[in-house]
Amino acid sequence: MQKRGDFTSNWLFYFVAVVVLVLMFYFGMTSLSDIKETSCAAETTLLVQRLQADAEEISYEQGSVVEKEYSVSCGADRVYFVDQAIDVLSPQQMLIIEPFPIISEEIISQTGKNVFFYSGSKVVERVEVTNLQLGFPYYRCLKVRSGKIKVRFTGNGAAVNVSPSGPQFDCNPLIKVIEPGIDESILAEAMGEGNSFELENGDTVVGSGDTPPADDTVSDLFNPQLGVFVTETNDLTITRVIEEVPGETKTVVNLLLERKDDSKNNFIYIERIPKRCVPDLEDGMLLDVKAGSTGKFRIRSDPLIVWIFPVGADPTMGYTLNTLLDEGCKKDIGGVPIRFKNHPPE
């Protein structure tokens, strides 16, 4: 029979052994983690040194194009190169990098860091590479494939532009300039059944789709009174920038506007999203709509978003969808800017 003293001493022995094993495992894992972080930092330092050296060398060669391949560590799946010359006082420039809070913070703080390594939604490293002059849309996104990125450098004699070397490395935003002209199908859906508009060329557009609800204040402004017709907005240019939020199932759409004359009548813009891509904008699909401090907007079930801005306003337009759009859906988003104009005297 085992004596009580022997049982107690055995229990104490096993307890101490377990504690020792747990501590060894913990400190062993911590040591491995420290080694991994040190290795990651060292590899990133070498990568940045190579990037900087290549950027400086190629920047002096006006018009030269060179492709380079780099190994990327730290588990990064995307690398963002940002133009350090972004004007922090320009709302439209800052709007483009708004989906990336860490990048925005570094640019606003003017730390100089302009290359960001993302792993999912987390920034695992941020560094500085000088001699980058990227221009619109002020950043470039490269996907990491099999632990590598391939960069195309283009020298301009004083600085260098970077871009993905092939579509497999490309995660740049989709950019589209909205051409002037009136898309009658979008206009018809926006006005709703029971309304009609005369175009400047004499044609009439008859409304379709849902009848606007009685409390739709945007429709009150949108429906013209007798004696006015719809005209194009040839004095402005609208550029749509479609971005993805790293590590999240979100699509951010910003509509950047350049206008020559802001003293004209109310400015209206209508954005149509294909039904096959987004059946409707309910149930949390639409996370945010930007309309500045003076604009109004209304969501239609088509799905459409209608903005109206008063005379002299600086339109801010954009929205976030709680889903990722495929390339076909991104390309098929439609938009039409219009104004109402008085009939010329007869």
Side-chain angles (χ1 to χ4, degrees), residues 58 65-69 150-153 164-166:
I58 298 166
V65 178
V66 178
E67 295 187 355
K68 296 282 187 177
E69 181 178 280
K150 289 187 178 180
V151 184
R152 179 180 290 113
F153 291 98
S165 179

Side-chain angles (χ1 to χ4, degrees), residues 50-204:
R50 284 191 61 200
L51 282 168
Q52 184 66 70
D54 291 339
E56 289 180 1
E57 179 182 357
I58 298 166
S59 66
Y60 298 113
E61 302 175 15
Q62 179 72 39
S64 63
V65 178
V66 178
E67 295 187 355
K68 296 282 187 177
E69 181 178 280
Y70 303 94
S71 295
V72 178
S73 57
C74 305
D77 50 40
R78 290 189 179 198
V79 182
Y80 286 81
F81 295 81
V82 184
D83 194 325
Q84 292 172 306
I86 288 181
D87 183 0
V88 296
L89 300 179
S90 170
Q92 295 207 359
Q93 291 188 23
M94 294 305 295
L95 196 62
I96 293 177
I97 61 172
E98 189 177 271
F100 317 105
I102 298 298
I103 294 178
S104 298
E105 178 185 324
E106 295 288 350
I107 297 301
I108 292 172
S109 302
Q110 297 181 324
T111 62
K113 293 180 179 178
N114 62 329
V115 180
F116 301 85
F117 298 82
Y118 273 82
S119 177
S121 60
K122 182 182 178 183
V123 176
V124 294
E125 192 65 71
R126 59 191 92 172
V127 298
E128 179 180 9
V129 175
T130 59
N131 289 69
L132 299 186
Q133 189 176 73
L134 308 182
F136 187 82
Y138 313 113
Y139 73 83
R140 303 291 183 268
C141 177
L142 278 78
K143 290 180 184 178
V144 179
R145 296 293 190 187
S146 302
K148 298 180 183 296
I149 57 172
K150 289 187 178 180
V151 184
R152 179 180 290 113
F153 291 98
T154 304
N156 65 12
V160 68
N161 191 3
V162 299
S163 59
S165 179
Q168 69 271 34
F169 297 99
D170 191 351
C171 50
N172 280 321
L174 179 68
I175 300 170
K176 181 179 180 179
V177 176
I178 298 169
E179 300 294 335
I182 295 177
D183 187 320
E184 295 185 14
S185 64
I186 296 179
L187 182 58
E189 290 182 18
M191 68 177 73
E193 195 171 319
N195 294 311
S196 63
F197 293 124
E198 183 182 350
L199 302 182
E200 192 168 11
N201 62 10
D203 294 341
T204 298

Side-chain angles (χ1 to χ4, degrees), residues 180-181 231-238 257-268 312-313 315 337-339:
T231 183
E232 296 180 12
T233 53
N234 293 318
D235 62 310
L236 54 83
T237 301
I238 298 176
L257 187 141
E258 296 179 19
R259 60 195 317 183
K260 300 173 185 175
D261 185 358
D262 62 2
S263 63
K264 295 188 176 182
N265 295 343
N266 289 349
F267 162 69
I268 299 168
I338 61 172
R339 284 196 180 92

